[in-house]
Amino acid sequence: MLSSVWRLRHFVFPYRVRLIVGVIAFGVARFLEALVPFLTAIAINRLWEGNYDLVGPVAGIAGVVVIRYAVVTFARYCVRRVGLFVAFDLRQRLYDALQQQGQGFFSRYTIGDMMTRAVADIALIQRLVAMGTILFVIVIYATLFGFAFMLYLSPILTLLLLPPLPFVFWYTLRAARQMEVASKAVQGRLSDLGTHVQENLSGIRTIQAMVQEDREIARFSGTNQRYADAFYEQARVNSAMGAWMPTLAAVCSLTIIGYGGYQVLNGSMPVGNFVAFFMYVNMVVKPFGVAGFIINLVQRAAVASNRLFEIINLEPEIADAPDGATPEHIEGN
């Protein structure tokens, strides 16, 4: 299923420069964010030592915040524009493919299903390219810079936080498989819903003439309920993925308070460094809270892209004859 997501690279490639610039800008923004706890530690250590010269750290924090705001705004603009362009190209490609299909195709696929693929499925891919890219690079940069500064402040305390990571990796893979199944069911039920509405409204005059409104309402209720049930299952899996992050944060906090507090008491770690270490842990752990959301985006976009390429890859039913010729001038006869 993820092979369909990989095929999207051909649609992203024309806008690679804009995407790369946005990703680099996010890295700069995360580095600037990582400087805030470092400058905070300097300020706290000076206060603890009785030094009230805080002009440098305070001015540094203010400057970092302002510059980061500008960089993040620019980075988001770049990446989200790429998502918009990819969605535009996919929509055009799908429409071109539909124009080359004949009656055989439209007897197998309903108009409601095609509308769902053209609107809802492409919207999911756009969210993956734009929002998914942003969240993914934030997680990567937060982990990279967060752990780098944590190792600088206390290598031993940083290593004590690593044991839970294999469990996190295992649970993420398990949840990804569950999300793939749930996302496929949701997209299928959504297509059923669109098909039902399209067919019903197309024949609304016949339904009303035969006084079948109540029967059609009851049928739609069943279709709607099946979609709601599938969406509920997807939400359950997604919620479960987000629930374990507070547990991981609690384990990290207990470790820091235990060993980090001991280092502060014996004088091997300054108070400011202890506070900054807490801030870096939050910087690393907090983005992982959206890991479930990222997996959700990837799996739903995988299903959506697979449904799109299913149509785009079909051989055209309407094609010019190999020996066909177009008149140079058409009289209108």
Side-chain angles (χ1 to χ4, degrees):
M1 188 70 69
L2 292 179
S3 60
S4 297
V5 176
W6 178 240
R7 286 188 61 184
L8 293 174
R9 71 187 188 280
H10 298 299
F11 292 87
V12 177
F13 186 78
Y15 314 107
R16 61 192 181 280
V17 174
R18 186 186 296 268
L19 183 64
I20 292 172
V21 170
V23 170
I24 293 175
F26 273 115
V28 174
R30 274 292 160 173
F31 176 75
L32 293 173
E33 181 180 351
L35 289 178
V36 173
F38 187 78
L39 295 172
T40 302
I42 295 176
I44 293 176
N45 289 335
R46 287 184 181 182
L47 289 174
W48 189 260
E49 297 168 357
N51 183 357
Y52 298 100
D53 182 15
L54 304 179
V55 176
V58 171
I61 292 174
V64 163
V65 169
V66 172
I67 297 174
R68 179 185 175 277
Y69 173 80
V71 173
V72 168
T73 301
F74 172 75
R76 288 181 180 272
Y77 173 79
C78 290
V79 175
R80 287 180 174 176
R81 290 284 290 179
V82 173
L84 180 63
F85 293 147
V86 170
F88 178 89
D89 293 343
L90 279 171
R91 197 174 295 111
Q92 190 68 43
R93 184 74 171 273
L94 178 63
Y95 188 81
D96 293 345
L98 291 176
Q99 297 304 302
Q100 301 176 48
Q101 300 302 328
Q103 292 300 319
F105 172 86
F106 290 104
S107 65
R108 299 192 307 271
Y109 296 93
T110 64
I111 302 301
D113 184 28
M114 290 301 102
M115 292 297 296
T116 301
R117 297 181 195 232
V119 179
D121 288 351
I122 290 180
L124 288 174
I125 294 174
Q126 180 178 346
R127 291 184 66 192
L128 173 66
V129 175
M131 188 181 301
T133 301
I134 292 174
L135 294 176
F136 181 73
V137 298
I138 285 177
V139 171
I140 296 299
Y141 283 130
T143 304
L144 177 64
F145 292 125
F147 270 109
F149 278 93
M150 287 162 62
L151 284 170
Y152 175 78
L153 294 175
S154 178
I156 297 178
L157 189 55
T158 303
L159 294 177
L160 291 176
L161 300 178
L162 297 181
L165 294 184
F167 169 77
V168 173
F169 181 74
W170 169 81
Y171 184 84
T172 300
L173 293 179
R174 177 175 174 270
R177 288 192 293 267
Q178 294 178 335
M179 184 59 67
E180 179 181 352
V181 176
S183 298
K184 189 173 182 179
V186 167
Q187 294 306 105
R189 297 306 182 188
L190 183 60
S191 288
D192 294 342
L193 197 66
T195 299
H196 193 130
V197 172
Q198 183 270 328
E199 292 177 347
N200 189 280
L201 295 181
S202 296
I204 190 63
R205 292 184 178 180
T206 303
I207 292 172
Q208 292 175 341
M210 301 297 292
V211 196
Q212 294 296 307
E213 295 92 341
D214 292 340
R215 178 176 176 274
E216 290 301 318
I217 290 173
R219 286 184 62 239
F220 179 78
S221 178
T223 305
N224 196 20
Q225 184 62 51
R226 287 189 289 274
Y227 171 69
D229 292 340
F231 201 88
Y232 170 80
E233 176 62 18
Q234 185 188 63
R236 184 193 65 79
V237 175
N238 192 36
S239 298
M241 284 190 290
W244 54 265
M245 289 310 303
T247 303
L248 176 62
V251 172
C252 293
S253 297
L254 290 176
T255 303
I256 296 171
I257 292 175
Y259 186 76
Y262 169 76
Q263 286 186 310
V264 171
L265 291 176
N266 65 20
S268 60
M269 174 183 279
V271 177
N273 292 17
F274 179 73
V275 174
F277 198 93
F278 252 115
M279 297 174 69
Y280 284 123
V281 170
N282 182 66
M283 177 180 174
V284 171
V285 172
K286 189 175 180 180
F288 277 94
V290 300
F293 184 71
I294 295 176
I295 295 174
N296 186 11
L297 280 179
V298 172
Q299 294 296 351
R300 296 189 68 183
V303 174
S305 58
N306 188 60
R307 285 160 50 84
L308 284 177
F309 288 126
E310 177 187 351
I311 305 301
I312 294 175
N313 293 340
L314 290 176
E315 290 293 331
E317 293 184 2
I318 301 175
D320 293 332
D323 56 347
T326 302
E328 294 183 2
H329 182 66
I330 298 176
E331 298 290 345
N333 297 326

